[in-house]
């Protein structure tokens, strides 16, 4: 027993002695000058920059390099600098013919990259590919180290690579003024490093611009197959920090971004991703005005085959201001001309909460309305937008769409964008008991742009629609409406608008509108403040900033009317000629002469009065069309005078000019007004 203890003690002492001897030998061999001679010249040759190292230390289990600095001659900033590089190894691994490096640690590395005023980078010489030999010549095989290359191979294994407190700075001197972006607090750890299997890693960093934002990623990467399986996380990134990049003052007043994604890469082409993107407390701003605060949430499942140039969003769900929108997307051929296919759907979408997120709109620029008002030349168009570098086709389907009090159901829109022409063909919807079918097209490469459109509406409950549009219109006009519209034009230029509108409204009433109020005041008929009708028909065309009413028909139990005329599109001014038919007993309040009343009254008992309607729809002006009425009255006077002459036996004596003038001057005495 004692003999065994002694043997163990001798062996332990011998090992300790060997360790002391090995440590001393290593320190004597791995001197500072020798290590610097091994490290500095090769680095300077490869990097074309000056390399300095403040201190070197070595021991049995590792070595360190302190104060490494790499910089171009005369440069104020280091390209690369680090406080310490620590290399640790397992000396016992040599017994098995392997050099096992247990850890390589970089402490506080600093990398500084500059974009020069001409747009080039100060590291372009390092990233450029060069060839020492002639084109097509394979690179020379490196010479074997001193001591020959015929010995048994020595495997080198690195177990852990760690980076602690890193900092990456990018200075853009091409901008005016120069801008600096910093990615700090970089921490990285890579374990079980191998060339033929998955390598676990962890990476985190403080995000640039944001005071609290931090990026984290973890997973595995396989260098042999190119596979990547990773999670990407962003926490507490302050969106307002992006304002300097957006330009135009403060665009984002508040909001915090959070990201949690899983990304998989199989080889160099097959990519898939899924996860969530969330924004809490987003507030947009324009100057001093701000929109409402809202939260956003995006759930995503996507994949791509990069070699085939195909990317698919298999599932996307966006929740904004309590509204949910789902989508699928297929993108192809981005190497030539991108083609998109998409489907956007929502069970219920309220527009107002979404618009409330935006800041209030600023004062609009004064409209150049003179040309449209007068029908003159349109304003000279500005340069059109650039060509849209993609083609797209897809559908938008919303079961219930709300905007204010307006509600649209079963909205379905098919969109096609090809060679810079956008087509909506068709758009359908259910609208207050009726149906809408519309088509439209626009040339996006032209200023304006140039467009055409057509729409048909059937069985629309007009009163419900107008009441939802404005409280002032609630109950003002009711009935079942049908509309047939065609239009073409360029942008918002009313002078370029050419359209045809045919409107039919059946079984309704017109109430409390200025057009009705002014009519009742003119004829002092309070019983006409509500006008019931069987039919209201209009056929209107527009061109050169002017709407021409070719036909207007109003047919009701107590009033009938026909009309024609014009209405300007800007500051709408009316100039309409109306033939209004009233019951004889009502018309008698206006026409004081029984003879004229008899002349204006037909066999059905309707007395027809020629009127003019001028002013605006909000402030209309009615008046008797004296020119038309004089013609009717003159005929009545002529007949009356002829009868008087016949009674006196002067049947065959024609009226001379003096007699006719006297009769014309007496015409006004036949009217009560």
């Amino acid at each position: 027993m004692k003999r065994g203890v002694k043997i163990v003690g001798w062996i332990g002492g011998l090992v300790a002695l060997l360790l002391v001897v090995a440590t001393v030998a290593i320190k004597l061999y791995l001197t500072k000058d020798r290590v610097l001679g091994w490290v500095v010249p090769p680095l300077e040759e490869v990097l074309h920059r000056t390399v300095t190292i403040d201190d070197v230390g070595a021991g049995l289990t590792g070595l360190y390099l302190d104060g490494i600095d790499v910089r171009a001659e005369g440069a104020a900033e280091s390209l690369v600098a680090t406080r310490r590089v620590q290399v640790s190894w397992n000396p016992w691994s040599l017994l098995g013919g392997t050099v096992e490096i247990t850890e390589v640690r970089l402490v506080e590395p600093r990398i500084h990259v500059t974009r020069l005023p001409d747009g080039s980078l100060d590291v372009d010489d390092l990233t450029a590919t060069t060839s020492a030999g002639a084109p097509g010549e394979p690179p020379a095989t490196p010479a074997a180290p001193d001591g020959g290359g015929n010995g048994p191979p020595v495997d080198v294994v690195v177990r852990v690579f760690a980076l602690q407190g890193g900092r990456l700075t990018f200075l853009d001197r091409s901008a005016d003024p120069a801008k600096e972006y910093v990615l700090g607090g970089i921490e990285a750890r890579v374990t079980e490093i191998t060339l033929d299997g998955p390598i676990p890693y962890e990476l985190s960093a403080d995000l640039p611009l944001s005071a609290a934002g931090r990026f984290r990623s973890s997973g595995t990467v396989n260098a042999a197959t190119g596979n990547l399986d990773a999670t990407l996380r962003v926490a507490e990134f302050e969106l307002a920090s992006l304002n300097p990049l957006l330009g135009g003052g403060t665009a984002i007043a508040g909001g915090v971004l959070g990201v949690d994604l899983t990304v998989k890469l199989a080889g160099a082409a097959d990519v898939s991703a899924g996860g969530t993107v969330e924004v809490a407390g987003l507030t947009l701003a324009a100057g001093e005005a701000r929109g409402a605060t809202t939260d956003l949430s995006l759930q995503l499942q996507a994949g791509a085959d990069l070699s085939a140039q195909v990317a698919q969003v298999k599932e996307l769900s966006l929740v904004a201001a309590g509204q949910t929108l789902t989508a699928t997307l297929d993108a192809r051929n981005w190497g030539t001309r991108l083609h998109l296919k998409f489907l956007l759907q929502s069970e219920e979408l309220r527009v107002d909460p979404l618009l409330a997120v935006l800041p209030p709109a600023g004062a609009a620029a004064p409209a150049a309305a003179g040309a449209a008002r007068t029908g003159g030349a349109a304003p000279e168009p500005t340069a059109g937008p650039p060509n849209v570098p993609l083609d797209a086709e897809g559908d938008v389907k919303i079961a219930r769409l709300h905007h204010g009090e307006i509600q649209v159901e079963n909205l379905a829109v098919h969109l096609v964008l090809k060679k810079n022409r956008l087509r909506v063909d068709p758009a359908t919807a259910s609208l207050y008991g009726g149906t809408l079918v519309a088509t439209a097209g626009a040339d996006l490469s032209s200023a304006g742009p140039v467009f055409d459109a057509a729409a048909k509406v059937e069985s629309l409950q007009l009163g419900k629609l107008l009441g939802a549009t404005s409280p002032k219109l609630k109950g003002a006009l009711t009935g079942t409406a049908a509309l047939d519209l065609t239009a073409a034009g360029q942008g918002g230029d009313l002078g370029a608008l050419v359209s045809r509108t045919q409107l039919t409204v059946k079984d309704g009433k017109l109430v409390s509108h200025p057009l009705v109020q002014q009519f009742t005041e003119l004829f002092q008929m309070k019983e006409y403040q509500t006008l019931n009708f069987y039919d209201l028909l209009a056929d209107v065309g527009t061109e050169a900033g002017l709407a021409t009413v070719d036909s207007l028909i109003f047919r009701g139990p107590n009033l009938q009317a026909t009309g024609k005329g014009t209405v300007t599109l800007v500051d709408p001014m009316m100039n309409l000629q109306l033939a209004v038919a009233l019951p004889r007993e009502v018309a008698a309040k206006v026409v004081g002469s029984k003879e004229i009343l008899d002349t204006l009254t037909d066999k059905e008992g309707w007395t027809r009065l020629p009127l003019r309607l001028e002013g605006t729809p909000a402030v209309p002006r009615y008046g008797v069309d004296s020119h038309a009425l004089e013609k009717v009255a003159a005929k009545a006077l002529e007949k009356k005078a002829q009868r008087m002459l016949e009674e006196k036996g002067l049947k065959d004596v024609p009226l001379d000019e003096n007699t006719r003038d006297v009769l014309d001057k007496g015409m006004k005495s036949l009217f009560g007004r």
Side-chain angles (χ1 to χ4, degrees):
M1 180 68 180
K2 292 182 178 181
R3 182 178 177 85
V5 172
K6 287 181 178 182
I7 293 174
V8 172
W10 278 105
I11 293 174
L14 180 60
V15 171
L17 178 61
L18 290 174
L19 291 175
V20 172
V21 172
T23 301
V24 173
I26 289 173
K27 286 185 175 292
L28 292 175
Y29 182 73
L30 297 179
T31 63
K32 178 179 179 180
D33 291 339
R34 181 167 287 166
V35 173
L36 293 179
W38 289 343
V39 175
V40 173
L43 286 177
E44 290 185 334
E45 183 178 354
V46 172
L47 300 176
H48 311 294
R49 285 161 175 78
T50 301
V51 178
T52 61
I53 300 176
D54 293 341
D55 193 17
V56 174
L60 182 62
T61 59
L63 64 82
Y64 64 86
L65 307 174
D66 282 351
I68 299 177
D69 186 277
V70 180
R71 73 176 66 201
E73 184 176 355
E77 293 284 348
S78 303
L79 174 62
V80 178
T82 182
R83 187 167 69 83
R84 168 168 286 196
V85 175
Q86 178 78 48
V87 182
S88 302
W89 56 67
N90 178 9
W92 304 109
S93 63
L94 292 172
L95 298 178
T98 301
V99 177
E100 181 183 4
I101 299 177
T102 57
E103 184 180 64
V104 177
R105 178 177 292 272
L106 276 63
V107 181
E108 298 180 8
R110 301 288 187 266
I111 300 176
H112 192 284
V113 178
T114 301
R115 175 178 284 159
L116 303 176
D118 63 0
S120 62
L121 299 176
D122 63 350
V123 294
D124 281 348
D125 61 319
L126 300 179
T127 58
T129 57
T130 59
S131 175
E137 182 180 339
T141 303
D146 292 342
N150 298 322
V154 177
D155 293 331
V156 178
V157 178
V158 180
R159 299 299 183 190
V160 176
F161 173 83
L163 188 150
Q164 175 183 335
R167 180 184 179 93
L168 174 62
T169 302
F170 178 73
L171 176 62
D172 188 0
R173 291 176 54 196
S174 66
D176 186 21
K179 295 181 180 181
E180 186 177 76
Y181 307 97
V182 178
L183 186 68
I186 303 174
E187 304 284 339
R189 183 176 178 84
V190 180
T191 60
E192 302 300 328
I193 300 174
T194 177
L195 297 179
D196 56 3
I199 303 172
Y201 78 92
E202 296 177 2
L203 173 66
S204 63
D206 295 332
L207 290 172
L209 305 175
S210 177
R214 189 159 180 82
F215 168 80
R216 300 179 187 275
S217 179
S218 62
T220 61
V221 58
N222 191 319
T225 62
N227 290 2
L228 174 69
D229 191 342
T231 60
L232 306 177
R233 293 185 175 89
V234 173
E236 299 299 322
F237 180 78
E238 299 164 349
L239 293 174
S241 62
L242 296 175
N243 286 324
L245 304 180
L246 301 176
T250 301
I252 303 175
V256 176
L257 171 68
V259 177
D260 191 348
L261 296 177
T262 298
V263 178
K264 295 188 178 186
L265 175 63
D270 189 6
V271 182
S272 62
T276 61
V277 178
E278 295 183 345
V279 175
L282 174 65
T283 309
L284 302 181
E288 298 298 323
R290 297 185 177 185
T293 299
T294 191
D295 296 336
L296 301 176
S297 177
L298 178 69
Q299 293 187 348
L300 173 70
Q301 291 292 335
D305 185 344
L306 302 182
S307 61
Q309 296 188 7
V310 176
Q312 293 180 321
V313 177
K314 302 174 184 178
E315 179 183 348
L316 182 147
S317 178
L318 172 65
V319 180
Q323 314 301 305
T324 301
L325 181 68
T326 61
T328 59
L329 176 68
D330 183 288
R332 298 173 183 266
N333 303 326
W334 52 76
T336 53
R337 184 174 178 84
L338 177 62
H339 182 79
L340 299 178
K341 293 189 69 174
F342 62 89
L343 172 62
L344 304 179
Q345 298 184 94
S346 178
E347 286 298 315
E348 187 163 19
L349 196 61
R350 295 184 179 273
V351 177
D352 297 309
L354 299 177
L355 295 179
V357 176
L358 302 175
R373 182 184 300 113
T374 61
E380 186 173 342
T382 58
N387 290 341
V388 181
L390 61 87
D391 294 333
E393 182 174 2
D395 294 280
V396 178
K397 298 180 180 180
I398 302 175
R400 292 178 299 279
L401 177 66
H402 306 266
H403 180 29
E405 298 298 323
I406 299 176
Q407 179 173 317
V408 179
E409 296 181 340
N410 303 319
L411 175 65
V413 181
H414 183 70
L415 297 169
V416 178
L417 174 63
K418 189 172 184 179
K419 296 181 180 180
N420 302 304
R421 280 201 56 86
L422 176 65
R423 290 295 304 173
V424 177
D425 190 6
T428 61
S430 300
L431 187 66
Y432 294 100
T435 59
L436 165 69
V437 179
T439 61
D443 184 355
L444 301 183
S445 62
S446 66
V450 175
F451 71 89
D452 62 88
K456 286 183 179 292
V457 176
E458 295 182 353
S459 304
L460 172 67
Q461 298 301 311
L462 190 57
K464 294 181 179 179
L465 174 62
L466 295 178
T469 303
S470 170
K472 295 180 179 179
L473 298 178
K474 188 173 183 179
L477 177 61
T478 66
T480 302
L483 176 73
D484 194 340
L485 167 70
T486 59
Q490 185 171 13
D493 182 8
L494 295 178
L497 177 65
V498 178
S499 71
R500 172 62 58 184
T501 303
Q502 293 176 320
L503 173 67
T504 302
V505 185
K506 291 184 175 294
D507 300 324
K509 61 183 178 180
L510 187 61
V511 183
S512 301
H513 191 276
L515 289 171
V516 177
Q517 294 172 356
Q518 290 296 321
F519 183 83
T520 57
E521 290 179 7
L522 174 66
F523 296 111
Q524 298 182 356
M525 297 178 296
K526 294 183 178 180
E527 65 272 20
Y528 275 55
Q529 290 181 352
T530 297
L531 293 178
N532 296 310
F533 60 85
Y534 309 124
D535 299 291
L536 173 60
L537 310 175
D539 187 352
V540 182
T542 62
E543 189 172 1
L546 193 68
T548 301
V549 181
D550 292 325
S551 174
L552 177 65
I553 299 174
F554 184 97
R555 190 171 65 87
N558 299 318
L559 182 143
Q560 295 181 359
T562 60
K564 62 181 180 179
T566 60
V567 181
T568 57
L569 297 183
V570 180
D571 296 334
M573 299 298 296
M574 300 181 295
N575 185 5
L576 299 175
Q577 295 174 310
L578 303 177
V580 177
L582 299 171
R584 180 184 176 93
E585 60 273 16
V586 176
K589 300 178 181 179
V590 181
V591 181
S593 168
K594 181 178 181 302
E595 291 81 2
I596 299 299
L597 191 62
D598 291 340
T599 302
L600 298 177
T601 303
D602 59 21
K603 296 179 180 180
E604 286 76 25
W606 290 96
T607 302
R608 303 187 180 276
L609 298 177
L611 302 179
R612 296 195 69 86
L613 175 58
E614 298 177 342
T616 68
V619 186
R621 298 193 305 272
Y622 287 95
V624 175
D625 189 339
S626 58
H627 180 69
L629 193 57
E630 283 175 3
K631 292 181 179 180
V632 176
K635 290 181 180 180
L637 285 169
E638 186 173 341
K639 290 181 180 180
K640 181 179 179 180
Q642 191 68 38
R643 288 196 301 269
M644 292 171 59
L645 293 173
E646 290 175 354
E647 291 174 357
K648 296 181 179 181
L650 301 176
K651 179 178 179 181
D652 298 327
V653 179
L655 295 176
D656 57 24
E657 292 298 325
N658 291 331
T659 304
R660 190 180 300 276
D661 289 341
V662 172
L663 294 176
D664 289 342
K665 290 179 181 179
M667 178 184 63
K668 293 183 180 180
S669 65
L670 299 175
F671 301 100
R673 297 181 183 275

